[in-house]
């Protein structure tokens, strides 16, 4: 019996989760993975339940991993593209949440504006799980820390260097969860692209409690020295197409390439994917000996199972 109970909780940005609750989710993810490879592909703890997957933006990993996770737990996943719902014709978020949550047992949503998710959660009777917003991507960060724990055997004191867009949604979630888990994070980014002030405030608060560190520099070489993990994400996130040219120009010196990896020593390379090969990372790195990106992507399935199993009442 776990010491915590996540049943009925939303998973919006992890600020309201204790370090123990986050560790509990990660441990459950590792356990689902172990059982999967021991031959237990289907563990029907959610038999007869349903999960709505509402996506306002494209997705490969999040959509498929939540869909398959629900199926492997015995639940019925329902994928709903934004334009297929009456939402696309102007029905409000609140009304949609009120109705959907009378049919299904959880709602996973990927949204353009973070506020949409907050609104969904406010009017939903069932857990709402963030499948990415413009602000954060907690499902990704949980899978990533599960992967780091699996590879390095620890999280506390691990040094993670994030190189590139310091205002990235995945970085925001790595900061919030990492600070709670005792991971030391160094971000190399231009001054212009730094985390959202609300995220920084929460991350610093958590890091003071865990004793971890958060540092910023404009020098990627300095950031990677001594790093256990070098992490990057796309320079142009979904919805930022209008500023693509400027971001690509400003972020050019932040490419993760062989030279930078060699400066670091012998770190692991991580990327949430999709990657824009040749921009934020070279083929040589993502396909090279440092890279654990395929294991990282694979773990999304198992952490998604843990999330659904622990949150759905
Ligand atoms: N990493 C991730 O969330 O990928 P998708 O956009 O394909 O879901
Ligand atoms: N920062 C990226 C993450 C994709 C998983 C985006 O928002 O497009």
């Amino acid at each position: 019996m776990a010491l915590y109970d996540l049943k009925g909780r939303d998973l919006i940005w992890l600020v309201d989760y204790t370090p123990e609750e986050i560790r509990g989710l990660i441990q459950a993810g590792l356990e689902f993975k172990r059982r999967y490879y021991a031959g237990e592909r289907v563990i029907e703890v959610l038999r007869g339940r349903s999960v709505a997957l509402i996506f306002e933006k494209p997705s490969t990993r999040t959509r498929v991993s939540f869909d398959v996770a629900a199926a492997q737990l015995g639940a019925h996943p329902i994928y709903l593209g934004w334009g297929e719902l009456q939402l696309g014709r102007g029905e409000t978020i609140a009304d949609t949440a009120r109705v959907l949550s009378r049919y299904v047992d959880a709602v996973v949503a990927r949204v353009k504006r973070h506020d949409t998710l907050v609104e969904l959660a406010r009017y939903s009777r069932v857990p709402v799980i963030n499948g990415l917003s413009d602000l954060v991507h907690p499902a990704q960060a949980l899978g990533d820390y599960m992967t780091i724990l699996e590879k390095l055997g620890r999280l506390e004191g691990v040094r993670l260097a994030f190189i590139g867009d310091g205002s990235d949604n995945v970085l925001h979630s790595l900061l919030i969860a990492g600070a709670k888990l005792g991971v030391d994070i160094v971000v190399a980014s231009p001054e212009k692209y730094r985390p959202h002030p609300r995220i920084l405030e929460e991350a610093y608060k958590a890091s003071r409690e865990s004793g971890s560190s958060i540092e910023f520099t404009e020098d990627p070489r300095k950031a990677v020295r001594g790093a256990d993990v070098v992490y990057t994400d796309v320079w142009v996130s979904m919805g930022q197409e209008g500023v693509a040219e400027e971001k690509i120009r400003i972020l050019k010196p932040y490419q993760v390439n062989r030279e930078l990896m060699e400066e670091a020593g012998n770190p692991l390379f991580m990327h949430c994917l999709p990657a824009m090969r040749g921009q934020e990372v070279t083929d040589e790195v993502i396909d090279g000996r440092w890279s654990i990106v395929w294991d990282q992507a694979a773990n999304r399935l198992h952490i998604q199972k843990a999330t659904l199993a622990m949150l759905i009442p």
Side-chain angles (χ1 to χ4, degrees):
M1 175 72 182
L3 295 172
Y4 40 79
D5 184 4
L6 299 180
K7 301 271 181 232
R9 293 269 294 275
D10 295 319
L11 200 160
I12 304 293
W13 67 331
L14 288 175
V15 167
D16 51 333
Y17 278 57
T18 65
E20 290 66 34
E21 288 167 345
I22 295 175
R23 278 190 214 106
L25 280 166
I26 291 172
Q27 284 302 338
L30 289 168
E31 180 63 9
F32 273 113
K33 183 173 187 177
R34 189 192 64 71
R35 290 176 67 175
Y36 181 86
Y37 286 104
E40 274 187 282
R41 291 203 162 201
V42 177
I43 301 171
E44 294 191 302
V45 291
L46 296 179
R47 186 134 57 102
R49 311 297 177 82
S50 302
V51 180
L53 309 170
I54 306 181
F55 280 66
E56 199 183 5
K57 292 178 179 183
S59 171
T60 298
R61 281 142 288 267
T62 307
R63 173 186 176 170
V64 177
S65 61
F66 269 113
D67 188 313
V68 174
Q72 288 182 0
L73 295 172
H76 172 54
I78 308 162
Y79 177 80
L80 300 158
W82 205 258
E84 297 163 78
L85 288 161
Q86 295 287 8
L87 266 172
R89 292 182 57 247
E91 186 167 18
T92 67
I93 306 284
D95 291 353
T96 304
R98 288 179 176 114
V99 173
L100 278 182
S101 63
R102 285 170 163 82
Y103 298 142
V104 300
D105 300 285
V107 175
V108 175
R110 169 168 288 197
V111 297
K112 290 184 180 165
R113 291 175 47 256
H114 187 75
D115 286 350
T116 302
L117 210 61
V118 175
E119 180 90 349
L120 261 179
R122 182 160 170 218
Y123 291 99
S124 171
R125 292 179 163 187
V126 299
V128 171
I129 299 168
N130 187 346
L132 180 147
S133 69
D134 55 343
L135 186 67
V136 283
H137 195 3
Q140 180 70 48
L142 287 171
D144 293 344
Y145 287 124
M146 168 180 161
T147 306
I148 294 173
L149 179 60
E150 193 180 31
K151 298 284 178 190
L152 298 179
R154 68 196 164 97
L155 286 169
E156 224 167 323
V158 163
R159 187 171 169 85
L160 183 148
F162 185 97
I163 312 298
D165 179 5
S167 63
D168 183 70
N169 48 2
V170 171
L171 170 63
H172 284 165
S173 284
L174 289 171
L175 281 167
I176 287 177
K180 287 181 186 255
L181 295 167
V183 177
D184 296 325
I185 300 182
V186 51
V187 179
S189 78
E191 276 289 340
K192 188 176 165 75
Y193 302 121
R194 287 281 156 90
H196 190 287
R198 277 292 285 129
I199 298 290
L200 264 189
E201 186 186 322
E202 295 294 344
Y204 277 127
K205 196 165 111 201
S207 75
R208 279 193 297 275
E209 281 162 25
S210 73
S212 69
S213 66
I214 300 172
E215 297 162 56
F216 292 92
T217 172
E218 287 192 88
D219 181 357
R221 297 173 72 89
K222 190 173 150 208
V224 299
R225 270 177 223 136
D228 299 298
V229 177
V230 173
Y231 198 119
T232 192
D233 186 11
V234 289
W235 292 340
V236 182
S237 284
M238 291 180 276
Q240 299 183 338
E241 292 73 17
V243 289
E245 213 176 302
E246 184 190 12
K247 288 193 86 177
I248 293 169
R249 181 171 42 79
I250 296 178
L251 288 164
K252 218 171 202 116
Y254 293 85
Q255 183 186 67
V256 178
N257 50 34
R258 166 184 285 275
E259 202 191 358
L260 192 68
M261 292 305 283
E262 284 176 351
E263 180 79 30
N266 196 26
L268 300 173
F269 172 75
M270 296 180 75
H271 190 310
C272 58
L273 304 176
M276 291 298 130
R277 289 165 175 258
Q279 280 188 18
E280 76 275 5
V281 63
T282 57
D283 287 337
E284 214 178 1
V285 170
I286 197 167
D287 297 327
R289 62 186 164 85
W290 309 275
S291 178
I292 56 166
V293 299
W294 314 123
D295 291 341
Q296 181 187 356
N299 281 343
R300 294 290 303 279
L301 172 62
H302 308 290
I303 199 73
Q304 256 59 282
K305 277 187 281 189
T307 306
L308 294 174
M310 291 181 76
L311 267 56
I312 294 178

